Amino acid sequence: MMQENVRPIAPVGISGLEPQAPPTGMPIFELVKPTDLFVDPAYQRNISEKGSRQIRRIIEGFDWVKFKPPICAYADCDGQTILKVLDGQHTAIAAASNPHIDLIPVMIVEADSTIAQAKAFIGQNTDRLGVTTLQLHQAALAAADEDAQTLELVCSRAGVKVLKTTNAYTGTGVRQTIAIKQIEALISRRGPKLAREILEVLASAERGPLTAPQIKAVELLLTDAEYCEKIAVEDLTEAIVDLLFTAEDEAKIFAATHKVQFWKALAITWFRKCKKRRQLTKQAA
């Protein structure tokens, strides 16, 4: 007799939807040695300290009931066919490290090119916690995503380097950034040309690392009529250089006392330091 709290899987209404026929074949399952699997750094991250802790937890608590098969794809590598892990490298590494595990089941999908594999990685991880925006951006680059390529080009032309991981800063992080979401939004709002000009202000001021509040502050100063009509770009760059790190300390105090967002307080702090066009006009007269 069926329990009352058990319910069958039933379809939902699809009125107004256009169901897609699968563009690839149905996945297959195979048992493989975890050490026979490979990872492509073009779209897969290196193992961080947090990832290492996760792997150790999986090793100590390995249970087939909790096991989620890694998703893999066949690929050609120097004339040999190998299995690349698209999702689940932590699980695969934990299995390879556990002396009680010889074989694991993996799900194999159709994705024979690096671009197709990178797209599959994005699809598997877009809505998952723990996969960072930086990792998805690198995967999107490997998948030849136009928006990701535009972002890289805008940053490159502005003299800004987008880092691959959060711990990849070199030196003081000057002209380096991990503020992917903010730059994406900036390009979407202002277009590539103005986005580049905004990033150039911070790059020219030798700021680093470039943060989301800094980018939003410069955007406000260069686009809002209340500010942009009163200052010149070179004077804003000079003000940022002059204030250096004290600007952010002053902005924190201003934000707290005036109940405004930090990035806006930072913009106001820089604006106050800038030479004003009206002052320059009066001096010239």
Side-chain angles (χ1 to χ4, degrees):
M1 183 175 179
M2 187 175 291
Q3 298 178 11
E4 292 183 3
N5 63 342
V6 174
R7 66 179 185 273
I9 295 294
V12 300
I14 58 173
S15 176
L17 302 179
E18 294 184 11
Q20 174 176 289
T24 58
M26 184 181 294
I28 61 173
F29 276 86
E30 285 192 10
L31 290 175
V32 302
K33 290 183 178 180
T35 51
D36 287 343
L37 300 174
F38 293 82
V39 171
D40 192 334
Y43 52 85
Q44 284 273 29
R45 54 186 164 167
N46 292 326
I47 300 300
S48 63
E49 179 55 38
K50 182 179 180 181
S52 296
R53 291 196 296 270
Q54 180 185 353
I55 290 169
R56 290 194 288 270
R57 286 195 297 269
I58 296 173
I59 293 170
E60 291 181 333
F62 201 98
D63 188 335
W64 290 117
V65 173
K66 305 174 187 176
F67 186 83
K68 180 180 178 182
I71 298 172
C72 304
Y74 284 114
D76 179 76
C77 181
D78 296 329
Q80 291 186 325
T81 300
I82 62 172
L83 267 178
K84 287 185 182 179
V85 179
L86 307 185
D87 183 63
Q89 70 161 317
H90 293 85
T91 298
I93 292 171
S97 307
N98 190 325
H100 300 291
I101 306 300
D102 295 319
L103 301 173
I104 60 171
V106 298
M107 186 172 80
I108 303 173
V109 299
E110 288 185 21
D112 55 357
S113 69
T114 298
I115 288 178
Q117 293 156 15
K119 288 181 177 178
F121 172 84
I122 294 170
Q124 290 290 333
N125 291 285
T126 297
D127 297 321
R128 177 179 299 179
L129 295 176
V131 178
T132 70
T133 304
L134 284 176
Q135 292 154 10
L136 291 176
H137 174 66
Q138 291 303 317
L141 280 177
D145 178 81
E146 187 176 342
D147 290 338
Q149 291 175 333
T150 297
L151 186 147
E152 285 286 331
L153 185 60
V154 166
C155 288
S156 176
R157 289 181 173 175
V160 174
K161 180 181 180 181
V162 178
L163 301 183
K164 293 184 178 181
T165 63
T166 55
N167 58 357
Y169 289 115
T170 57
T172 58
V174 169
R175 294 174 176 257
Q176 300 170 26
T177 190
I178 60 172
I180 295 294
K181 279 194 173 295
Q182 185 56 47
I183 297 174
E184 284 177 346
L186 176 65
I187 294 171
S188 176
R189 286 192 300 268
R190 307 298 180 184
K193 183 177 182 296
L194 184 52
R196 173 181 59 78
E197 293 171 358
I198 289 167
L199 293 176
E200 276 182 340
V201 171
L202 292 167
S204 298
E206 296 291 319
R207 294 299 293 138
L210 276 63
T211 65
Q214 291 170 357
I215 295 168
K216 290 182 72 174
V218 174
E219 179 187 3
L220 177 68
L221 294 175
L222 294 189
T223 59
D224 191 301
E226 181 181 351
Y227 303 105
C228 68
E229 295 176 358
K230 300 175 183 177
I231 60 174
V233 171
E234 58 271 20
D235 292 328
L236 174 56
T237 299
E238 185 178 337
I240 295 173
V241 171
D242 287 346
L243 286 172
L244 197 57
F245 297 110
T246 60
E248 302 204 358
D249 293 333
E250 292 178 23
K252 288 176 184 177
I253 296 172
F254 187 92
T257 55
H258 292 80
K259 306 293 190 236
V260 298
Q261 293 169 297
F262 170 71
W263 66 268
K264 189 170 288 187
L266 182 59
I268 293 170
T269 302
W270 282 336
F271 178 75
R272 287 176 169 177
K273 181 68 175 179
C274 277
K275 297 175 184 177
K276 307 302 186 293
R277 285 181 178 176
R278 286 182 303 179
Q279 293 174 353
L280 294 175
T281 302
K282 288 179 181 179
Q283 289 172 4

